[in-house]
Amino acid sequence: MISQAEIEAMLLCANSLKQRCIILFLYGTGIRLKELIELKIDDIDFKKQELHIQSGSYPRSVPIPKKAINDLIRYCQTYLPKKYLFENQKHERCSARSIQKSIKAAAAKAGVRKEVSPRLLRYSFAIHLLRYGISPQYVKQLLGITSLNSLFCYNPYAPSNFVRPPSPLDIETIEVNSHN
């Protein structure tokens, strides 16, 4: 697991707004790498501040962290993605490899000694929500998994009260200052 302080350090050390948004989305929403790669501009509901995930086990809506909205808007205005949210210079969707390298570079620059990956960010998203008392049922829904058994590897002692959670980025002390 990666701590919230390590996430904050990675965000502060991001080389670009794009790299920062990739980290914000993977950790802040808990979506899979494949879902991030396939995320289209049309899948973003700016008004409701939600992502509509079409791939994975089943379609679902995931809240966009409040701390990521301004960066998302600036990113879209700066990079002008045409179809996919994260595109390369040819306006094709980014590759899994380029996103993985970007995350590893931010972690290295931030001094994070763990092997940081999109999967670790997703895992940390789930753990942090469960530790804050968010319902395992709701975390399951956000992650797009079909069985609660999948959550037991995250935290077998999570409370069962249901609360619609904010993203882990909106909890505690993570400062998400805009990248200059």
Side-chain angles (χ1 to χ4, degrees), residues 96-113:
R97 186 88 174 121
S98 69
I99 289 173
Q100 290 164 335
K101 283 174 131 179
S102 181
I103 291 167
K104 288 181 188 296
K109 188 173 178 184
V112 177
R113 298 188 188 273

Side-chain angles (χ1 to χ4, degrees), residues 33-167:
L33 174 60
K34 181 180 181 189
E35 293 168 338
L36 181 78
I37 290 168
E38 294 177 3
L39 190 64
K40 296 177 181 149
I41 297 296
D42 294 342
D43 295 333
I44 302 169
D45 186 333
F46 286 93
K47 193 173 187 177
K48 289 184 179 178
Q49 299 183 352
E50 290 181 339
L51 302 177
H52 300 288
I53 306 299
Q54 305 302 320
S55 61
S57 300
Y58 57 86
R60 66 194 190 282
S61 293
V62 179
I64 299 171
K66 290 175 185 161
K67 292 183 178 181
I69 292 294
N70 288 337
D71 283 333
L72 172 61
I73 292 168
R74 280 186 342 133
Y75 169 81
C76 289
Q77 291 170 343
T78 302
Y79 288 87
L80 303 172
K82 293 188 191 272
K83 183 176 180 182
Y84 296 97
L85 181 59
F86 295 107
E87 297 175 335
N88 60 24
Q89 292 175 343
K90 296 177 185 176
H91 289 285
E92 299 165 342
R93 63 182 173 201
C94 283
S95 69
R97 186 88 174 121
S98 69
I99 289 173
Q100 290 164 335
K101 283 174 131 179
S102 181
I103 291 167
K104 288 181 188 296
K109 188 173 178 184
V112 177
R113 298 188 188 273
K114 297 173 181 122
E115 189 68 29
V116 181
S117 67
R119 187 183 258 293
L120 181 64
L121 294 177
R122 178 176 160 84
Y123 173 82
S124 299
F125 164 86
I127 290 287
H128 293 156
L129 287 178
L130 290 169
R131 285 190 176 167
Y132 281 103
I134 303 307
S135 162
Q137 280 284 55
Y138 191 68
V139 175
K140 176 188 104 144
Q141 179 184 344
L142 290 174
L143 293 173
I145 55 179
T146 56
S147 169
L148 273 178
N149 291 337
S150 303
L151 279 182
F152 292 133
C153 70
Y154 293 119
N155 188 346
Y157 305 107
S160 60
N161 59 326
F162 180 84
V163 177
R164 180 178 170 126
S167 164

Side-chain angles (χ1 to χ4, degrees), residues 3 19 130:
S3 72
Q19 186 181 55
L130 290 169

